[in-house]
Amino acid sequence: MATDLRLAYADIDQELFDVDQIPITARDVRNVGEMLFDVDYLARQLLMDVDGDAAGTLLRSWPTMVAAAEDLWASLPGRRPGVDERDRPITTLSAQAATIETSLSGRTAWPGQGPTSHRIDQMTQTFLNAAALVRRYGAEIPHEQPDAHRDLEAARTRIMHGLYLTAHAVNVALQQHGRDRVNDARSAGHRIHLAQHHSPYAIAPTGAWIDRISASENTARSYLSDRFAQALAGEAMRPVDDPGRLAQALANWDIQTHRALARELETSNILLITRTQGLIAGASMVLVDAAATAGALERSDRLIPAIAETGRSWSNLASRWGDLAPPGARLEEPLARAAAEVRAAYRQITHDKTTLASPEVIASRPGLPQALHASLRAIEAGSELAVVVAEKADAPDLTGPARALSRRAHNDVEAGLATPPAEGDVVWVSPADILAKRLVPLPPPVAETLRAASDATIDATSSASAVVTVHMPSNERVPARVNTHQSPTGRNEVAPLTAGIPAKSRGR
C-alpha cells in the first residue's frame, strides 16, 4: 500500500543500466480523496466481519492508526495558527489513543504483546501515504477558495469517519471477546462475574478497555454529528482523465493475483482475492447496465444474471476463506495495492461522491467503453482464477482459528450443507483449542463445504465466461495496457493531493 516516491525510469537514465539499482515503477496512483474513501471502505469491511478473537490485535493497532490520522489532519493546508476549535476532536482522540498505547506498552495481562491487525495497519499506511502526498503538493492548493475549502472539510470528515468506524469495530470485537469468555466459562461449568454497565459481557479486563475505546468512539461521533452528509456533499471528484485506468488496474490485478497464488499459501491473500473478484462482478453489473442504457451494449436476459451469480459465488467463497485467516495474518503489499487501485478505478466511473451514480451519468463519462471491455474481460478470465483458487482448498495442511472453524462446522452440518456424522453430535474442535485460540486443521464439514463452494465458483465463473464471450462488444476489442512504464497521461505517477487538484507529471 505504500506510495512509492522513489525515482522513475525517466528521472535518472543511467539507473536503467545499473544492475544494482533497478527502479520500481509500480506505484500507488490514487489521490488523497481516493485513499480516504478506501479507508472508509476497509473500515466498513472490518466492522462487518469482526469477531472476538481479533480483539487483541485490533486494540494493539488502534493507537498507531490514530497517530497516522492526526499526522494527516495536521498536514492539510489552511490550518489556522493557535488552538483551532475545528482541531479539538482529533487532538482529544490522539490523547486518548496515546494513553491506550502507554497502557499496552510492556503489559503482560490481556491483551499483552503480540501481532497487530493487518487490516488496521493497512488503513494506517494509507493515512501515512496521503499525508506524504499532502506535504509534497499541499502548497499548491488554493485553500482560501470555496471549492477547495469544502473539499478539505470533506477530507477531515472522511478521516474522522474512518476512525469512528474502526473504533466501533474494536468495540464490537471487545464485546464479542467478553461474550466468548462468558460462553466458554459456562460450557466448562465455571462461574463468572458479569458486568453491570455497557454490556453484561464487558467482564474484566475487557470492561476497562471497552470504556476507553467507547470514549474514543464518542469523540469521533461528536465531530460527525450533523456534519457527515453536508461535509461530503462538498467533496471534489476528479474527472476521468485516463480512460484506460481501469484496464491497467485490472491487468495489474490479474498479474498480482497469480503471483500471490504461485507462492506459499496465505489465507489472507486468498481472502482478498475472492473478495475483490466479488467486487469486480458487482461493479461489472453496474457498467453493463450503464452501457445498455447508452445503447453501447445490447440488453440481454443472460448477461447480468450470470455475472450476479459469479459475484454471489465469489462472496460465499470469501466468507469461508475468511474463517481460515487468523487475526494477525499479513497481506502481500503488491496484492493489497493492486486491489486498492481496482476499487479506486471502478469508483471513479461508477460513483458520484458518496453514492452510486445513475446509469445515465455513468454512460456519459469518458472511458465507459474501455472500462466495460476491461471489466468483461476480467469476468471472462475469472473462470481460470477460480480453478487456481480451488486448488488451494485441497491443500492438506490448511488450518484456521479454532473458534471460527468450530462455528462453521456446526452451522454447515445444521444447515444441511455438510454430511452429518453417523454418530450424531460431534465436537469438531476441542474446547481447549478454542480457549487457547489455537490454529487447528479444518474439521471435515468445513473442508467439505470449502471444496463445494470452490466447485460452485468454478461452475458460476465458467458459465459467466461463456455468456460474456458471446456478448463481448466486437467494436470494443482493444488490448488492455499491461505496461508499468509511464503512460502519456502520467497514470503511474503519484496521485494529486485532493480529488479536485489535477495530477502533476514528474519531469521526463
Side-chain angles (χ1 to χ4, degrees):
M1 292 295 292
T3 300
D4 196 338
L5 300 180
R6 287 176 287 184
L7 299 176
Y9 276 109
D11 294 322
I12 301 180
D13 292 338
Q14 58 265 32
E15 288 189 358
L16 287 172
F17 308 99
D18 186 354
V19 295
D20 296 322
Q21 184 175 6
I22 301 176
I24 305 299
T25 59
R27 300 174 187 270
D28 189 341
V29 300
R30 297 171 297 164
N31 61 32
V32 172
E34 290 170 341
M35 289 182 179
L36 294 181
F37 181 86
D38 206 48
V39 168
D40 196 270
Y41 169 85
L42 293 171
R44 291 175 188 273
Q45 289 287 322
L46 175 64
L47 182 58
M48 283 194 294
D49 55 15
V50 72
D51 60 25
D53 285 350
T57 61
L58 296 176
L59 186 60
R60 287 189 288 266
S61 304
W62 168 248
T64 308
M65 180 181 179
V66 176
E70 185 190 29
D71 181 53
L72 171 56
W73 188 293
S75 69
L76 294 175
R79 191 174 189 181
R80 294 186 287 269
V83 179
D84 191 341
E85 184 66 29
R86 181 184 58 194
D87 299 330
R88 288 188 185 278
I90 193 67
T91 304
T92 302
L93 198 57
S94 178
Q96 292 168 337
T99 60
I100 291 176
E101 185 173 29
T102 301
S103 299
L104 289 170
S105 179
R107 184 181 177 87
T108 56
W110 191 90
Q113 305 302 303
T116 55
S117 166
H118 77 85
R119 304 175 75 169
I120 291 186
D121 291 346
Q122 188 177 356
M123 291 184 275
T124 299
Q125 188 60 52
T126 304
F127 278 144
L128 294 174
N129 296 345
L133 286 179
V134 173
R135 289 194 178 91
R136 188 174 184 180
Y137 297 115
E140 302 174 18
I141 298 179
H143 57 82
E144 68 282 354
Q145 295 183 5
D147 288 347
H149 177 77
R150 287 191 292 269
D151 192 32
L152 289 167
E153 185 59 29
R156 295 186 187 92
T157 302
R158 283 214 178 273
I159 293 171
M160 192 62 74
H161 192 247
L163 292 174
Y164 169 68
L165 291 174
T166 307
H168 188 55
V170 178
N171 209 337
V172 170
L174 290 169
Q175 299 272 2
Q176 186 60 49
H177 173 73
R179 181 186 295 269
D180 291 340
R181 289 190 60 204
V182 170
N183 292 338
D184 291 342
R186 287 173 174 169
S187 298
H190 300 154
R191 297 183 62 184
I192 192 165
H193 178 69
L194 299 181
Q196 301 301 316
H197 66 295
H198 287 303
S199 163
Y201 301 104
I203 58 177
T206 313
W209 293 115
I210 289 177
D211 287 340
R212 300 175 72 172
I213 290 295
S214 295
S216 297
E217 184 180 341
N218 290 334
T219 299
R221 182 173 56 195
S222 66
Y223 180 88
L224 297 169
S225 297
D226 303 324
R227 180 195 302 262
F228 182 73
Q230 179 181 0
L232 292 190
E235 186 176 33
M237 288 290 291
R238 180 175 68 181
V240 179
D241 58 354
D242 180 7
R245 181 184 185 184
L246 181 60
Q248 175 78 8
L250 290 172
N252 185 47
W253 169 249
D254 184 66
I255 292 170
Q256 296 303 332
T257 54
H258 285 83
R259 285 178 176 173
L261 291 170
R263 299 190 182 100
E264 186 177 351
L265 192 155
E266 290 289 346
T267 54
S268 56
N269 290 336
I270 299 180
L271 172 60
L272 177 59
I273 289 171
T274 50
R275 277 183 170 163
T276 304
Q277 289 298 125
L279 180 143
I280 290 172
S284 296
M285 293 170 59
V286 175
L287 296 183
V288 167
D289 188 29
T293 299
L297 183 69
E298 185 178 351
R299 289 193 178 274
S300 167
D301 294 334
R302 298 177 59 202
L303 186 56
I304 286 185
I307 297 176
E309 182 59 30
T310 295
R312 284 190 291 269
S313 298
W314 280 117
S315 297
N316 178 50
L317 189 59
S319 71
R320 295 183 177 280
W321 279 104
D323 290 335
L324 275 62
R330 300 288 97 186
L331 275 175
E332 286 193 16
E333 183 179 331
L335 183 69
R337 187 167 56 237
E341 172 59 11
V342 167
R343 294 192 293 267
Y346 268 122
R347 179 177 179 262
Q348 189 178 27
I349 299 175
T350 62
H351 279 67
D352 184 8
K353 296 184 179 179
T354 60
T355 60
L356 190 69
S358 67
E360 292 77 16
V361 171
I362 297 173
S364 68
R365 289 176 174 169
L368 176 61
Q370 295 95 321
L372 175 64
H373 178 268
S375 208
L376 292 179
R377 286 289 300 273
I379 296 295
E380 190 178 29
S383 58
E384 183 268 341
L385 185 62
V387 173
V388 179
V389 172
E391 291 177 354
K392 302 300 180 181
D394 292 326
D397 56 346
L398 281 179
T399 61
R403 191 184 304 276
L405 295 187
S406 176
R407 287 172 176 165
R408 177 68 77 174
H410 286 287
N411 289 342
D412 284 346
V413 170
E414 290 182 3
L417 300 176
T419 304
E423 59 272 28
D425 289 340
V426 172
V427 177
W428 298 108
V429 180
S430 77
D433 289 336
I434 295 175
L435 187 61
K437 298 184 179 180
R438 296 189 182 103
L439 298 180
V440 299
L442 269 60
V446 176
E448 178 185 348
T449 53
L450 178 62
R451 293 189 186 98
S454 300
D455 292 341
T457 304
I458 292 175
D459 292 341
T461 53
S462 297
S463 298
S465 179
V467 174
V468 165
T469 301
V470 173
H471 292 84
M472 183 78 75
S474 58
N475 62 334
E476 297 300 334
R477 293 192 175 276
V478 293
R481 296 181 303 146
V482 296
N483 63 294
T484 56
H485 300 270
Q486 282 186 323
S487 68
T489 57
R491 200 44 275 147
N492 70 323
E493 288 298 337
V494 176
L497 281 175
T498 68
I501 303 299
K504 291 194 61 177
S505 297
R506 296 162 62 107
R508 292 180 174 82

